[in-house]
Amino acid sequence: MKTGSSAAPGRATPTPPDALARKAAALDAADELARHRDLFALDDDVVYLDGNSLGALPRHVPARMQDVITREWGRLRIRSWEESGWWTAPERVGDRIAPLIGADPGTVVVGDSTSVNVFKALVGAVRLAGDDRDEILVDASTFPTDGYVAESAARMTGRRVRALAPADIPAALGPRTAAVLVNHVDYRTGRLNDLPGTTAAVHAAGALAVWDLCHSAGALPVGLGAHGVDFAVGCTYKYLNGGPGSPAYLYVRADHQDRFDTPLPGWNSHEDPFGMRAAYAPGKGAARGRVGTPDILSLLALESALDVWDGVSIEAVRSKSLALTDFFLECVTAYVPAGRVTSVTPEPAAERGSQVSLRCENAGDVMRALIAAGVVGDHRRPDVLRFGFTPLYVGFADAHRAAVRLAALLS
């Protein structure tokens, strides 16, 4: 296998292919997270490696939603806003997510989409930075929407946007920098960007850091509180398994909350929502990030889905994630004919999220054939095969089977 890093020429001799199946079995037998696979609705004959796009369904969620629909909505109806706790769900579910991203209680609110929350966070950060700072730095490899939102936020606040490679951001910081928007994990390549180092550099320059956690939350430790991150956003339908289109979340550091000037003040974030006053007065704490009426069905499905994290250590998840991606690359090296794929995912553990991206000729056709063969990943144009490894339900035998089937298609 070709590789985008310098690790291939100096790597240890790969495990012989005939031993890799036995190695997978041994790793699965020793896996402390293996029992969590039974919590999800998965097919035995399909290897699901697209949890970085849509997480699998936790088995207990349909029963919970049946109760929400038939009892809470069907019988209690409007009473459920109070009696079933609907009104407080955005903050309550935020507190469930907080430990997974290293945040303090009361700093995360759930609602709206990632794009809407990026807008709220970035404009809020720029306003906190002050009028004398007129520049927003943006990760040039970011998911497109983040770039679109940054441009709109810049027009709205009279700033300009500079797009840079994440590694180049610290050197570009200066007295004109208001805020920096970076993806924690690159959605194409799986590269893990340096959150601690970049955040420290941003603060040293007097600016504020906004992080997009869509491809890291639930896959690896984030440490928002430990590293002093100012704002963060993320979706919940990937590694958090909240379901298609499940609401996103917004993190605002506790000491910023009283000064957080949201660009989308809605009645739900008012200090007295049911007072229906003409003048806006923002609420306290995480609730200030709310806008309109919460999407209760999706929100409660997410709350139920988060039960699979009870008793799970995010450090154990990270350890298994790295072992899975290492093992998959080892299997690809052993089985796929030389020259057919090139890894664009960093090999050093400190630089990798929880996915492997392989550059491949005719990648779209290859992925369609791979899905037909029972291995579900996805394709990013023009030539990238993406494989997401969700440690709660993906095992080493899955990684082995995926590499074998990929090799069969490319042979």
Side-chain angles (χ1 to χ4, degrees), residues 28-408:
D28 280 331
D31 176 18
E32 64 179 288
L33 297 177
R35 59 188 174 85
H36 288 81
R37 182 186 180 94
D38 292 337
L39 301 178
F40 294 88
L42 295 163
D43 302 313
D44 290 337
D45 59 345
V46 174
V47 177
Y48 189 66
L49 300 180
D50 209 7
N52 55 330
S53 288
L54 178 63
L57 170 69
R59 291 183 186 275
H60 68 278
V61 170
R64 168 61 178 140
M65 295 314 297
Q66 181 70 20
D67 181 63
V68 170
I69 292 169
T70 60
R71 183 180 64 85
E72 295 184 8
W73 179 15
R75 294 201 294 274
L76 294 178
R77 293 177 286 274
I78 197 71
R79 292 161 53 194
S80 278
W81 284 105
E82 290 189 4
E83 294 181 26
S84 300
W86 287 2
W87 184 258
T88 58
E91 292 83 23
R92 185 176 70 244
V93 181
D95 281 344
R96 294 283 302 276
I97 292 172
L100 299 176
I101 56 177
D104 293 329
T107 59
V108 180
V109 65
V110 177
D112 305 311
S113 67
T114 305
S115 302
V116 171
N117 285 327
V118 168
F119 181 71
K120 287 186 279 188
L122 192 55
V123 172
V126 168
R127 288 174 172 174
L128 280 174
D131 294 337
D132 57 335
R133 292 175 174 266
D134 62 357
E135 187 173 76
I136 300 171
L137 303 185
V138 178
D139 171 0
S141 58
T142 189
F143 191 77
T145 292
D146 286 12
Y148 307 156
V149 169
E151 291 286 354
S152 179
R155 291 193 299 272
M156 177 180 176
T157 59
R159 270 69 174 182
R160 68 187 185 101
V161 171
R162 287 178 63 198
L164 299 161
D168 295 336
I169 286 175
L173 294 162
R176 298 178 60 181
T177 309
V180 177
L181 172 62
V182 192
N183 272 245
H184 196 195
V185 173
D186 187 297
Y187 77 99
R188 287 190 189 88
T189 67
R191 176 177 292 280
L192 176 64
N193 291 316
D194 181 8
L195 183 147
T198 301
T199 300
V202 169
H203 289 164
L208 288 93
V210 181
W211 286 89
D212 183 329
L213 309 179
C214 285
H215 288 268
S216 59
L220 52 91
V222 177
L224 295 182
H227 302 303
V229 169
D230 301 289
F231 294 86
V233 302
C235 64
T236 60
Y237 48 79
K238 294 180 172 55
Y239 296 107
L240 298 182
N241 310 297
S246 57
Y249 56 87
L250 169 67
Y251 164 84
V252 182
R253 203 174 77 192
D255 60 329
H256 290 325
Q257 289 179 351
D258 287 345
R259 297 180 298 127
F260 172 43
D261 183 9
T262 176
L264 295 173
W267 77 283
N268 254 238
S269 64
H270 197 285
E271 66 174 6
D272 182 16
F274 294 97
M276 303 300 172
R277 304 205 304 261
Y280 179 73
K284 300 293 185 182
R288 190 174 288 206
R290 295 172 65 152
V291 183
T293 305
D295 185 345
I296 290 299
L297 297 184
S298 290
L299 187 55
L300 296 187
L302 167 63
E303 181 176 36
S304 182
L306 290 170
D307 289 347
V308 301
W309 289 95
D310 290 348
V312 174
S313 158
I314 195 66
E315 288 75 20
V317 168
R318 176 59 166 166
S319 178
K320 181 178 175 182
S321 164
L322 294 176
L324 277 168
T325 49
D326 275 342
F327 181 66
F328 179 67
L329 286 168
E330 182 181 6
C331 291
V332 169
T333 298
Y335 294 135
V336 174
R340 296 305 307 273
V341 297
T342 303
S343 175
V344 295
T345 299
E347 290 212 3
E351 298 176 14
R352 188 192 317 152
S354 196
Q355 74 183 56
V356 171
S357 295
L358 303 175
R359 184 163 287 126
C360 177
E361 187 177 352
N362 300 318
D365 292 337
V366 170
M367 183 53 71
R368 281 186 286 272
L370 198 57
I371 291 170
V375 176
V376 180
D378 67 13
H379 161 232
R380 284 292 177 265
R381 291 186 292 178
D383 59 356
V384 171
L385 305 172
R386 286 198 323 171
F387 302 93
F389 291 84
T390 307
L392 290 187
Y393 56 76
V394 173
F396 294 90
D398 294 321
H400 180 264
R401 191 178 352 165
V404 168
R405 292 186 181 179
L406 177 63

